């Protein structure tokens, strides 16, 4: 058995963060099952969720390997309590109406595209391999979100009002996407992680372009909620986690 | 110019969901033709193509998709079936079955 180094632990935490983002957003999107505006959109949203779940599985598995404590993807997904789950608060926000879900999707996807593009060149070969697959998936996620935001924003009076309200609600949570802490600084210096400063420019340009095309305005707010990376979550998160974990916890080791 | 006699599937142009119906054609591999895969609702061509991708190529069924508004498809009528298709029934000489294909000929 190889020795776990400091770098391994940093990479494990980084993978855990990205994996939790994907896992939690997948769970949220699953809530649309059988509730979408159209049957076609039901399948589309769950396709996105399945992509994200696949990313989460790869990332949590890699996190478990690097951590070296014998935890597999299931142990990490189903057996951590709320303070140990380190996703961004943006991805755990409740779906709201379809407009708000699409607003959240756009903010996440416009970040995920440059993130995974950058990680394709990560000095960590395993992470770069995951990125190589994810980058194609999130390109479609951005296309999907962009298509809907433009149609809702530049659609009817009601769709415009509702998707704008959705952006107003989720916008403050976007700042957390680009926070940097000492762990991230170490990984950026090693060429493992993507630098949020570079991502933010691309993100901002993408989001502003889509909002302009959708005749929506960029929300202005000074409120910057934060804390997801250190396990602080919104009130709704406990219910999400309970639904995600209860089967595995009630029936340990259960499988299809 | 007259309207199509009967839209494929006979559905109204704008059903309750508010989106028109589209027919989806998928080409499974290079070199093959697009084949009718099914239909779906979408507000416009852009979304129809994306819905088709999500509904009909989930299992790598395709490398190319066409979508056509169902109302733009002009279909033959079941009432005309006899006149359209029966006359071909007794003309076996139209089938290339009266000569030997040499063994050397491939890809036929």
């Amino acid at each position: 058995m190889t020795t776990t180094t400091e770098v391994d632990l940093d990479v494990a935490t980084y993978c855990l963060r990205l994996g939790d983002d994907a896992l939690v957003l997948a769970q949220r999107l699953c809530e649309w099952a059988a509730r979408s505006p159209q049957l076609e959109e039901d399948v589309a949203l769950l396709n996105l969720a399945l992509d994200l779940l696949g990313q989460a599985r790869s990332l949590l598995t890699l996190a478990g390997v690097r951590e070296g404590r014998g935890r597999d993807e299931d142990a990490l997904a189903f057996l951590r309590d709320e303070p140990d789950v380190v996703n961004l608060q943006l991805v755990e926000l409740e779906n709201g109406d379809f407009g708000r879900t699409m607003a959240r999707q756009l903010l996440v996807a416009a970040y995920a595209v440059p993130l995974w593009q950058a990680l394709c060149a990560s000095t960590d070969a395993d992470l770069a391999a995951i990125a190589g697959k994810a980058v194609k998936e999130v390109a479609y996620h951005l296309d999907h979100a962009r298509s809907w935001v433009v149609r809702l924003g530049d659609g009817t009076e009601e769709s415009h009002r509702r998707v704008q309200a959705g952006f107003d609600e989720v916008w403050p949570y976007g700042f957390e996407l680009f926070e940097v802490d000492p762990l991230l600084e170490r990984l950026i210096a090693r060429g493992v992680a993507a630098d949020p400063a570079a991502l933010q420019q691309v993100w901002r340009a993408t989001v502003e372009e889509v909002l302009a095309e959708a005749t929506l305005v960029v929300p202005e707010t000074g409120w910057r909620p934060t804390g997801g990376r250190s396990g602080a979550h919104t009130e709704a998160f406990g219910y999400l986690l309970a639904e995600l974990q209860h089967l595995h916890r009630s029936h340990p080791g259960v499988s299809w | 110019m007259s309207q199509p006699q009967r839209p494929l599937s006979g559905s109204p142009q704008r059903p309750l969901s508010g989106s028109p119906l589209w027919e989806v054609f998928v080409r499974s591999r290079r070199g093959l033709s697009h084949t009718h895969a099914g239909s779906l609702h979408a507000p416009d061509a852009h979304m129809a193509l994306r819905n088709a991708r999500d509904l009909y190529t989930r299992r790598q069924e395709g490398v190319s998709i066409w979508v056509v508004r169902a109302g733009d498809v002009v279909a033959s009528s079941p009432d005309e079936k006899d006149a359209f298709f029966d006359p071909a029934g007794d003309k076996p000489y139209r089938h290339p079955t009266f000569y030997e294909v040499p063994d050397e000929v491939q890809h036929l």
Side-chain angles (χ1 to χ4, degrees), chain A residues 14-139:
Chain A
Y14 188 59
C15 290
L16 208 55
R17 292 175 176 184
L18 299 180
D20 284 349
D21 289 345
L23 179 67
V24 170
L25 187 57
Q27 182 73 13
R28 272 288 179 239
L29 288 176
C30 283
E31 292 174 11
W32 276 108
R35 294 185 180 87
S36 300
Q38 298 173 328
L39 190 58
E40 289 81 353
E41 194 53 32
D42 226 74
V43 181
L45 287 170
L46 295 185
N47 273 348
L48 306 184
L50 272 175
D51 286 344
L52 291 165
L53 193 62
Q55 294 169 16
R57 293 188 61 182
S58 302
L59 288 161
L60 294 183
T61 298
L62 182 56
V65 169
R66 296 300 173 85
E67 178 192 60
R69 288 169 51 195
R71 295 198 285 184
D72 64 4
E73 52 176 319
D74 284 349
L76 287 168
F78 298 127
L79 298 177
R80 281 178 299 150
D81 290 331
E82 185 168 334
D84 300 320
V85 182
V86 289
N87 60 279
L88 298 160
Q89 291 181 355
L90 177 64
V91 298
E92 77 193 41
L93 295 179
E94 289 174 291
N95 287 331
D97 62 15
F98 186 69
R100 177 168 145 160
T101 295
M102 285 305 108
R104 189 189 60 202
Q105 283 301 110
L106 181 70
L107 299 197
V108 175
Y111 152 83
V113 167
L115 170 77
W116 290 116
Q117 280 172 349
L119 288 178
C120 283
S122 171
T123 52
D124 189 299
D126 292 333
L127 197 52
I130 294 172
K133 179 163 176 287
V135 75
K136 293 180 202 162
E137 295 169 340
V138 295

Side-chain angles (χ1 to χ4, degrees), chain A residues 120-206:
Chain A
C120 283
S122 171
T123 52
D124 189 299
D126 292 333
L127 197 52
I130 294 172
K133 179 163 176 287
V135 75
K136 293 180 202 162
E137 295 169 340
V138 295
Y140 190 79
H141 298 193
L142 178 58
D143 179 273
H144 176 266
R146 175 200 294 264
S147 299
W148 272 117
V149 167
V150 169
R151 277 158 185 76
L152 295 172
D154 197 16
T156 66
E157 201 174 307
E158 186 186 359
S159 70
H160 177 92
R161 177 180 58 75
R162 287 170 72 158
V163 73
Q164 181 68 62
F167 273 104
D168 293 346
E169 285 160 2
V170 302
W171 187 265
Y173 295 88
F175 294 109
E176 199 185 0
L177 292 166
F178 309 106
E179 286 179 1
V180 179
D181 63 354
L183 179 141
L184 203 48
E185 281 171 358
R186 290 195 296 274
L187 289 178
I188 293 167
R190 291 185 162 273
V192 172
D195 186 351
L199 304 181
Q200 188 163 20
Q201 289 185 357
V202 181
W203 178 84
R204 183 89 193 185
T206 306

Side-chain angles (χ1 to χ4, degrees), chain B residues 41-95:
Chain B
H41 290 109
D44 55 36
H46 177 96
M47 296 308 294
L49 207 50
R50 279 146 186 81
N51 285 347
R53 178 262 194 193
D54 284 329
L55 285 167
Y56 294 111
T57 63
R58 287 161 54 82
R59 301 173 188 87
Q60 290 188 299
E61 290 95 334
V63 295
S64 169
I65 302 172
W66 290 347
V67 290
V68 182
R69 277 179 84 121
D72 291 340
V73 175
V74 183
S76 61
S77 162
D79 301 336
E80 297 169 313
K81 188 164 70 71
D82 290 350
F84 262 56
F85 305 116
D86 276 6
D90 62 352
K91 300 180 174 64
Y93 44 84
R94 288 179 179 170
H95 293 274

